[in-house]
Structures are given as structure tokens and as C-alpha cells.
Amino acid sequence: MHAGGWDPRARLADQDVDGVSAEVLYPTVGMMLCNHADFDYKKACFDAYNEWIAEYSAACPERLIGVGQTAMRSVDEGIEDLRRIKALGLRGVMMPGNPAVADYDDPMYGPFYEAAIDLGLPLSFHILTSQQDTFKARGPKLNAFLSIIRGCQDIIGLFILGGVFERHPRLKLVCVEADAGWVPHYMYRMDHAWERHRYWLPAGTLSRAPSEYFREHVYTTFQDDWVAFQVTGLCNVHRLMWANDFPHSDSTWPHSQAVLAKQAGHLSEGERDLILHDNVAELYGLERP
């Protein structure tokens, strides 16, 4: 275990080693707790975590940007959580993949989405936080690793095809640690499904092609994803955000600069700036380095 996981001063030293000027911090244990069956327990854990990450981030708020969590037991409580998260100085909210009641495309969540917009808190969905993307797969255990991005893809499809972005045109969603190289084909596949099959496979009311909602509303974060850097022209480069996934086993730390030199060296300086810092700075209202 890296001391930077609980000691903010050690985390700053870890950032310096990797050439990172600031980072948005996502939960580790809290990520797995999203799948806990007891929503009361989950609520208590997330409330405690929000207090802790706020204190951790306060050690250096310009470099440690905390994100809170909500258990989504109800719409009204979710809105209260948003207000508390904002008051703690946190910059976003990480959502459980499965809420307590109706799914996220239900119009009942409208007041929650509008509150998130008004408070300037982007909604984040992380891998491994949905009941559908736990480590279950056919064959060897390593095969399960390949499926963990599916939960995030299902949620994105839910928001787009369920008409959530149509009803809430200022809402922003962050797909966390699920790679990005798949995005162009996923947008194409959604457009194909909508154009060919929406009359016998009904979806929400959309006024534009699904890919247009993806390009505008959905941000994707990724670390060691060579393909993502090759297909920036097929994505919205203003919605791609690189991360190093420290301190997890998939992290590029402490070799992130070498990885980026290899994977992103062919991009223009402007494209690299967008992916490596400008996009995240704009999304979370941070000062650019």
C-alpha cells in the first residue's frame, strides 16, 4: 500500500515523481462499496468518506481535488448529498451503478440532475460499481478483466437512449477508468441501432443521433490506452481526459511520462494539452498549470 493513499503529503511527493501537477481523486474502497446490498450501510460509509476526502484534499486543494459519493437511496436525499458535497469543497459526485429504486433514466431523477447542474457537480460512474460488471465471466479469471468496462457502457447507453440528456441538456457525465479506445465504435453502434431498430426496440425521445449526445455530454478517462490516442479524430477530443490510476495495479505511475511520450507523441501540442490537463481543468473549474 502506498502511503499516498492516506497521507496527502506523501501523495504530493508521488505526483512530483510522476510529473503530475494535480489530480481528481476517486474512491478505492468506496468504489467497491457501491455494490453493497445494504443501502443504509452504504450511506453511512459514503458520508464518512466525504468528510475524510474533504479533509485529505484540504491539505493542498489546488493539487488534490476530491470527489464525493452518494448512495442514492432517494432523490431528495441525493440532492441533500449534493449540497453537502458542494459545501465540503468537493468538485464532483461519484454515483453507484445501481440506485435504490428506479433506474437512472426514470424522469423522477429530474430534480437531482438539475441540482447537480446548478451546483456544478459532474456525475461520475466508475468501473466495478454496477452489479453487472463484477468479476464474473466465462473461462479463466483474466477473461473477466476484459468485461469490466461494460457496466459504464450500459450506463452511458441508459442516459443517452433513455433521453436523460435530451431532458437535461446541461448535464455532464464522466465515465471513469473504463478506457476510451472503444468510444468511436460504440457511438457508431448506437447510431446504427437508433436508425435501424428504434421502432421495434423503443427508446426515449431523441431529437438527435445518439452519438451527438455522447460527444457533448460524456467525458471518458483512461490511462494505458494506446488506441484512445490513435482515434482522437473519431471522438470529441474536448471530452477525453488522461489519468494515471495511481495507486492501483493498472497505474502508469511512476512511468507516466514515458508512457505518454510513446502513446501521445504523434498528437499536436494542442491535442495533448486538451487531453492531459485543459479538459479536466474546464470540467472541474480548476486553474490550468
Side-chain angles (χ1 to χ4, degrees), residues 2-281:
H2 291 272
W6 65 86
D7 180 348
R9 296 300 172 187
R11 185 58 164 259
L12 297 177
D14 293 329
Q15 290 180 350
D16 291 339
V17 168
D18 216 25
V20 171
S21 59
E23 58 187 339
V24 177
L25 304 167
Y26 287 93
T28 296
V29 176
M31 176 177 67
M32 305 309 295
L33 283 172
C34 283
N35 286 316
H36 201 285
D38 188 332
F39 274 82
D40 295 338
Y41 176 74
K42 189 155 46 180
K43 165 66 174 171
C45 290
F46 290 170
D47 284 349
Y49 175 80
N50 292 343
E51 296 281 351
W52 179 83
I53 192 61
E55 180 180 350
Y56 180 101
S57 302
C60 189
E62 67 275 13
R63 296 184 64 181
L64 304 172
I65 297 95
V67 169
Q69 290 192 266
T70 177
M72 285 309 294
R73 294 191 299 185
S74 71
V75 171
D76 289 342
E77 184 177 85
I79 293 173
E80 292 177 6
D81 287 343
L82 291 178
R83 291 171 178 161
R84 180 59 178 161
I85 286 168
K86 182 72 173 184
L88 286 170
L90 304 175
R91 299 299 187 100
V93 56
M94 196 173 102
M95 310 289 291
N98 303 93
V101 286
D103 215 340
Y104 287 119
D105 61 336
D106 194 296
M108 68 178 286
Y109 291 101
F112 176 84
Y113 296 142
E114 289 301 315
I117 292 167
D118 292 341
L119 292 169
L121 297 173
L123 308 182
S124 294
F125 289 92
H126 201 292
I127 59 167
L128 299 174
T129 60
S130 298
Q131 293 172 359
Q132 294 91 339
D133 62 4
T134 51
F135 278 101
K136 298 176 182 178
R138 299 175 67 175
K141 290 183 178 180
L142 187 59
N143 196 35
F145 181 82
L146 305 180
S147 69
I148 60 177
I149 66 172
R150 177 61 188 271
C152 286
Q153 292 174 334
D154 286 346
I155 290 170
I156 293 169
L158 179 79
F159 272 75
I160 294 175
L161 299 176
V164 177
F165 295 132
E166 175 78 18
R167 298 191 296 271
H168 305 282
R170 295 186 297 150
L171 188 64
K172 298 176 180 179
L173 185 153
V174 186
C175 171
V176 185
E177 202 187 336
D179 295 340
W182 52 267
V183 168
H185 179 263
Y186 190 78
M187 291 192 295
Y188 165 79
R189 188 67 179 166
M190 279 199 300
D191 286 353
H192 172 84
W194 183 71
E195 291 168 1
R196 292 285 194 95
H197 304 293
R198 69 182 183 273
Y199 299 107
W200 73 283
L201 295 173
T205 301
L206 305 181
S207 60
R208 296 179 289 163
S211 62
E212 295 186 40
Y213 297 95
F214 197 118
R215 289 177 181 275
E216 180 178 343
H217 296 274
V218 180
Y219 294 74
T220 53
T221 82
F222 61 98
Q223 57 270 2
D224 191 357
D225 186 353
W226 178 85
V227 176
F229 286 113
Q230 307 304 310
V231 297
T232 56
L234 298 176
C235 303
N236 180 356
V237 72
H238 294 272
R239 297 293 183 266
L240 298 173
M241 301 190 297
W242 176 82
N244 69 358
D245 194 34
F246 179 85
H248 297 160
S249 60
D250 219 26
S251 176
T252 56
W253 184 94
H255 308 295
S256 295
Q257 298 305 316
V259 171
L260 290 171
K262 180 179 180 180
Q263 297 188 0
H266 65 287
L267 299 179
S268 69
E269 182 178 359
E271 289 174 321
R272 288 196 301 272
D273 286 348
L274 288 170
I275 297 170
L276 300 184
H277 45 74
D278 286 359
N279 291 340
V280 69

